Amino acid sequence: MTQQTAKQKILAIGAHAADMELTAGMVMAKYIRAGGAGAFLHLTPGERGHPTKSASEYREQKREEAARAAAALGARMQMFEYRDGELPYNDEVAFRVADVIRAEKPDIVITHWKNSMHKDHVRTHQIVLDAVFYAALRTIERPLPRHAVRGMYFTDNWEDQEGYVPDVFVEIEPSDFDAWRQCCSAYQLFRGGVSSFRYRDYYEALSTTRGCVAFMPRANAFKLWPEQGVRGGAWLPLPRA
Ligand SMILES: [Zn+2]
């Protein structure tokens, strides 16, 4: 039977620094506040989107912003050095991610949905599925012992909407919403002046919209990994209390 408890560890793995803070930061804040733990792994800095800065200048900025964003939530953070737009999909990357999973030992992994307008997001989805599999296999010998993730969820990202129908809505308390805003404000991308896309408006409004359909003031929506969609129990589960 699925055990739902706050004192669990979440590892959120995104293609670019800011992807996971924007889409999973509210629920990460909630778990950490309740005694759980959180960590971010960014596979690239996401350094190629700035209108005036060079990729190397913006890379340094994103690195510093990602550190401050994670610190605002009390989460751990690490970043790989693959280049924005050129994230490779191969076993070398998947084994590196599997090593992070074995080191962080999360109960829950959160990452991108399989469809996206951004190729790095699609590859991250594939890499993370492979990595979760490799991390769990006892017979795959790596420096650390195996670790089996208990739940995997895909985020509600504006770039990953093709075929995305969320099925899990987590209520977000005002204090967790405030913590998320503080976390994301570390990024210039969120504050404005980097992209013409209105990140702040979109994700604030989305939390209200997802909250509306779930009969909650605010919610972070996710899609459950299909293969783990078995929810057992003594009785049929009721979606609403
Ligand atoms: Zn991205």
Side-chain angles (χ1 to χ4, degrees):
M1 182 175 170
T2 308
Q3 198 185 352
Q4 285 183 300
T5 155
K7 292 189 180 173
Q8 290 176 333
K9 179 163 187 179
I10 295 177
L11 172 63
I13 305 171
H16 311 109
D19 278 325
M20 286 298 126
E21 292 92 331
L22 288 163
T23 57
M26 293 183 204
V27 78
M28 184 88 86
K30 183 171 184 174
Y31 272 77
I32 291 170
R33 179 176 55 80
F40 292 102
L41 171 61
H42 310 301
L43 300 189
T44 84
E47 73 278 16
R48 286 208 161 114
H50 202 283
T52 56
K53 290 184 175 168
S54 70
S56 62
E57 280 177 305
Y58 193 38
R59 183 185 303 120
E60 286 314 304
Q61 179 180 325
K62 286 294 286 287
R63 219 179 254 147
E64 187 263 330
E65 289 174 337
R68 277 195 290 124
L73 294 183
R76 293 157 59 83
M77 188 282 289
Q78 56 186 303
M79 188 183 284
F80 286 173
E81 292 301 319
Y82 298 107
R83 280 186 281 185
D84 186 358
E86 298 179 56
L87 176 66
Y89 172 53
N90 58 43
D91 272 341
E92 185 198 322
V93 189
F95 282 127
R96 283 187 70 190
V97 175
D99 287 345
V100 172
I101 292 169
R102 287 186 176 193
E104 293 287 343
K105 300 198 262 303
D107 302 286
I108 296 160
V109 164
I110 295 177
T111 191
H112 294 275
W113 171 236
K114 65 182 177 182
N115 299 320
S116 178
M117 64 174 83
H118 201 305
K119 64 193 278 275
D120 289 346
H121 291 201
V122 174
R123 289 186 175 188
T124 299
H125 174 92
Q126 294 167 326
I127 290 163
V128 172
L129 254 62
D130 292 351
V132 164
F133 175 64
Y134 293 154
L137 275 183
R138 193 174 282 107
T139 46
I140 290 195
E141 290 183 19
R142 303 292 295 173
L144 293 169
R146 71 181 285 268
H147 175 76
V149 170
R150 295 168 61 205
M152 182 147 66
Y153 293 89
F154 305 123
T155 55
D156 194 2
N157 186 310
W158 79 276
E159 291 169 290
D160 308 347
Q161 288 296 305
E162 186 190 335
Y164 185 86
V165 181
D167 43 30
V168 176
F169 295 70
V170 181
E171 184 166 2
I172 300 301
E173 309 290 340
S175 62
D176 301 320
F177 180 73
D178 291 344
W180 168 81
R181 263 222 292 235
Q182 202 186 338
C183 160
C184 291
S185 294
Y187 287 104
Q188 190 189 358
L189 185 75
F190 187 76
R191 299 192 306 271
V194 173
S195 169
S196 55
F197 184 79
R198 292 157 55 197
Y199 282 91
R200 180 178 179 139
D201 284 348
Y202 180 85
Y203 285 105
E204 286 187 359
L206 185 64
S207 70
T208 302
T209 304
R210 296 308 195 191
C212 287
V213 296
F215 297 87
M216 300 164 180
R218 285 188 192 277
N220 239 187
F222 297 92
K223 185 150 187 61
L224 191 64
W225 188 26
E227 285 77 7
Q228 293 199 342
V230 177
R231 274 169 267 189
W235 305 101
L236 293 171
L238 295 173
R240 283 175 216 139

